Amino acid sequence: MSEMKNRWIALYVENQVGVLAKVSGLFSGKSYNLQSLTVGETEDKTVSRMTICVTSDDITFEQIKKQLNRMVEVIKVIDLTDVPLHMKEILFAKVSKLTEDQITQVFQIAQVFKIEVVDLNQDSVILESHLTEHRNNELIALLKSKFKQISIVRGGAVAIESISTGCR
């Protein structure tokens, strides 16, 4: 059996009510766990692009792609797993119950990671990050190691195929 790993798919689908439910229903109906799913309109308002991450082996992943290709609402399925990509994920981190010195530390962390401080009050800071999943994981680990009260909200990754090589 092949190894379980994260696999990425871009789906171009008809921009209609219920398409997201049908796609996610296909995954849940087969007991495939979605790691990440984002969807948004493309330059054509009648078409949406979904970026999906699923953890699976090679055989299961091939089945998933075939099942998606059979759906009437699916225009195109692209396997992004081994393709050079530009990929980012949005993350908000709220760090609360801070002292003045700790607020300064949060600002320093934001500067090092090149992320934005988007909200602030006397004892809390909200950070906004548009980094890779790996860099966001590093940010979370650092915040957890330094502060006690942290809330994390993550959006799924979005990706586009690179026009050059060596991206990810």
Side-chain angles (χ1 to χ4, degrees):
M1 183 164 211
S2 64
E3 78 175 286
M4 298 289 283
K5 69 177 188 178
N6 282 350
R7 323 255 177 172
W8 294 91
I9 303 170
L11 280 185
Y12 287 90
V13 297
E14 295 173 3
N15 188 5
Q16 298 176 350
V17 173
V19 173
L20 175 60
K22 286 183 180 180
V23 169
S24 61
L26 181 145
F27 283 85
S28 65
K30 300 288 184 180
S31 297
Y32 304 143
N33 188 35
L34 292 172
Q35 298 301 319
S36 173
L37 184 145
T38 57
V39 61
E41 249 180 29
T42 65
E43 65 283 354
D44 177 348
K45 290 187 179 293
T46 67
V47 177
S48 290
R49 178 174 163 136
M50 294 182 180
T51 305
I52 299 171
C53 178
V54 62
T55 302
S56 72
D57 59 42
D58 290 335
I59 294 167
T60 303
F61 190 59
E62 288 304 316
Q63 290 173 341
I64 291 169
K65 291 189 295 186
K66 286 178 185 172
Q67 290 165 347
L68 289 169
N69 268 311
R70 281 190 233 133
M71 294 179 70
V72 173
E73 300 83 1
V74 173
I75 299 164
K76 187 175 184 179
V77 177
I78 304 169
D79 181 352
L80 300 176
T81 303
D82 297 316
V83 175
L85 297 173
H86 292 276
M87 183 180 294
K88 303 287 184 197
E89 127 184 308
I90 190 167
L91 174 143
F92 288 101
K94 185 190 314 181
V95 189
S96 305
K97 297 186 179 173
L98 300 170
T99 65
E100 281 186 42
D101 286 344
Q102 288 176 318
I103 288 174
T104 301
Q105 280 185 295
V106 173
F107 271 80
Q108 290 169 342
I109 291 168
Q111 193 173 25
V112 167
F113 277 82
K114 296 182 172 87
I115 61 176
E116 299 285 324
V117 173
V118 295
D119 202 359
L120 169 72
N121 70 13
Q122 66 274 12
D123 73 344
S124 299
V125 177
I126 297 179
L127 303 172
E128 180 179 337
S129 169
H130 303 184
L131 299 173
T132 63
E133 177 185 11
H134 178 74
R135 285 294 282 163
N136 279 338
N137 288 340
E138 290 174 344
L139 173 64
I140 292 166
L142 180 60
L143 292 172
K144 284 183 173 181
S145 74
K146 295 200 170 286
F147 310 106
K148 288 184 169 66
Q149 186 83 25
I150 300 165
S151 299
I152 301 292
V153 178
R154 294 176 99 155
V158 292
I160 191 164
E161 302 84 342
S162 179
I163 55 175
S164 60
T165 57
C167 297
R168 192 73 186 169

